[in-house]
Amino acid sequence: MIDVLVVDDDFRVAEINAKYVGKVPGFRVAARAHSAAQALAAVERGTIDLVLLDHYLPDRTGLELVHHMREQGHGTDVIMITAASDVTTVQRAMRLGALHYLVKPFTFAALRTRLDSYAALRRTVDRVGGRGLTGQEQVDRIFGALRTSPAPSAPGLPSGHSEPTTDLICGVLHSADHPLSAHEVAAETGLSRSTAQRYLRHLEQAGRLRLSLKYGDTGRPEHRYAWVAP
């Protein structure tokens, strides 16, 4: 099994990512961390093979953490999973040795593709390493193991809707222990309230969410949405 450390300052997002990892054969979540300090402590225990790392952490950035890990001699593999998509951050992640860079929001299929390619890399290194490198062909096999193909888009989404955003909202509702309003979903996902409302309406009409009304003392009732188990 490949032991994974999931690092995200948002507890709910970390839980969603951990559930995704748990669905991929050969991988298991060994620990979760919500700060760079917690992540470093987990790495220093020596049981982590792969870190799924957010960039925006409360005590230092994810890339600062990777830099510190390398200075301390920790060669633990890293896949960045973050909303940071500027070229400078991406380039620095490459220079620090991040094996993949996945931009939020993303789909389970996108993460699984990266994890599968990482597992293929480990298998290739084990095979080649057992014989010792004999030439360019073996080097090409190692580097080629990390290549990924874009995950296919899910059919049936209305115009203007994206699969990553749909999956992000579904993940939040699936892990919630009570119905959520559009305002709460927007806060959890970082989307605008109007965007969250648009996706929630579509998911409710598609039968993936259940709509209920919460009446207050005054004004219109609040629409609240709950996950419907398939």
Side-chain angles (χ1 to χ4, degrees), residues 173-213:
L173 269 298
H174 183 268
S175 59
D177 57 5
H178 61 276
L180 301 178
S181 67
H183 176 76
E184 290 170 326
V185 171
E188 293 287 348
T189 59
L191 301 170
S192 69
R193 186 184 183 282
S194 60
T195 298
Q197 183 65 66
R198 179 159 49 88
Y199 278 81
L200 290 168
R201 187 179 302 113
H202 164 69
L203 291 168
E204 187 267 328
Q205 292 173 350
R208 300 175 68 181
L209 302 179
R210 182 177 66 254
L211 172 64
S212 60
L213 301 179

Side-chain angles (χ1 to χ4, degrees), residues 55-130:
H55 182 57
Y56 298 117
L57 300 173
D59 45 353
R60 65 169 70 180
T61 68
L63 292 186
E64 288 172 346
L65 171 61
V66 177
H67 180 70
H68 181 73
M69 287 167 52
R70 300 304 183 236
E71 284 186 329
Q72 297 299 311
H74 298 297
T76 310
D77 293 321
V78 173
I79 294 178
M80 298 297 297
I81 297 183
T82 177
S85 57
D86 59 283
V87 174
T88 299
T89 302
V90 174
Q91 285 182 329
R92 189 167 178 228
M94 294 174 62
R95 290 165 181 160
L96 287 171
L99 297 178
H100 282 298
Y101 197 107
L102 193 56
V103 179
K104 297 177 181 178
F106 59 90
T107 64
F108 166 66
L111 177 59
R112 176 164 187 167
T113 298
R114 273 75 178 173
L115 294 180
D116 285 342
S117 74
Y118 174 73
L121 171 66
R122 289 173 62 97
R123 291 193 298 269
T124 302
V125 170
D126 288 344
R127 287 198 303 269
V128 174

Side-chain angles (χ1 to χ4, degrees), residues 108-182:
F108 166 66
L111 177 59
R112 176 164 187 167
T113 298
R114 273 75 178 173
L115 294 180
D116 285 342
S117 74
Y118 174 73
L121 171 66
R122 289 173 62 97
R123 291 193 298 269
T124 302
V125 170
D126 288 344
R127 287 198 303 269
V128 174
R131 301 190 303 268
L133 289 178
T134 59
Q136 186 65 49
E137 179 181 355
Q138 285 71 28
V139 174
D140 290 343
R141 285 180 183 174
I142 292 174
F143 278 86
L146 280 175
R147 293 173 186 159
T148 61
S149 301
S153 298
L157 288 177
S159 176
H161 286 62
S162 74
E163 183 184 358
T165 303
T166 301
D167 279 2
L168 179 64
I169 291 176
C170 287
V172 168
L173 269 298
H174 183 268
S175 59
D177 57 5
H178 61 276
L180 301 178
S181 67

